[in-house]
């Protein structure tokens, strides 16, 4: 399970680099933070149950944050 978090860190790092190249700095910072979070968790050697709890908490925080952003902050069609 720890290898899956290292893999998630790798892919979020790839996305952070692509966002950086595209000039999307806020998205770069979010994905860079996720990269460091996943890599750190990958080296903690926790139990599989704890990894699943942490991933579930991460998904919950992401979903709440994204829903708040999409509902209250994002202005459709603005540039």
């Amino acid at each position: 399970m720890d290898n899956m978090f290292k893999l998630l860190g790798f892919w979020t790092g790839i996305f952070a680099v692509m966002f950086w190249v595209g000039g999307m700095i806020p998205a770069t910072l979010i994905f860079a933070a996720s990269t460091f979070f996943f890599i750190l968790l990958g080296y903690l050697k926790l139990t599989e149950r704890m990894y699943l709890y942490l991933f579930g908490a991460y998904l919950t925080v992401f979903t709440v944050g994204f829903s708040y952003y999409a509902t209250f902050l994002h202005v459709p069609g603005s540039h």
Side-chain angles (χ1 to χ4, degrees):
M1 196 70 170
D2 54 340
N3 287 333
M4 287 307 298
F5 274 84
K6 292 174 190 173
L7 182 68
L8 282 170
F10 170 77
W11 282 111
T12 55
I14 294 296
F15 274 84
V17 169
M18 289 192 295
F19 281 130
W20 180 66
V21 169
M24 303 171 74
I25 301 304
T28 301
L29 296 175
I30 291 170
F31 274 83
S34 293
T35 298
F36 293 126
F37 175 72
F38 286 139
I39 296 293
L40 174 73
L41 286 178
Y43 283 104
L44 287 181
K45 301 290 186 189
L46 301 172
T47 63
E48 186 171 346
R49 178 178 290 195
M50 192 62 181
Y51 278 124
L52 289 175
Y53 285 153
L54 286 170
F55 189 64
Y58 176 82
L59 289 178
T60 302
V61 169
F62 172 80
T63 302
V64 169
F66 181 76
S67 298
Y68 177 80
Y69 172 78
T71 304
F72 300 112
L73 299 179
H74 181 68
V75 179
S78 68
H79 200 286

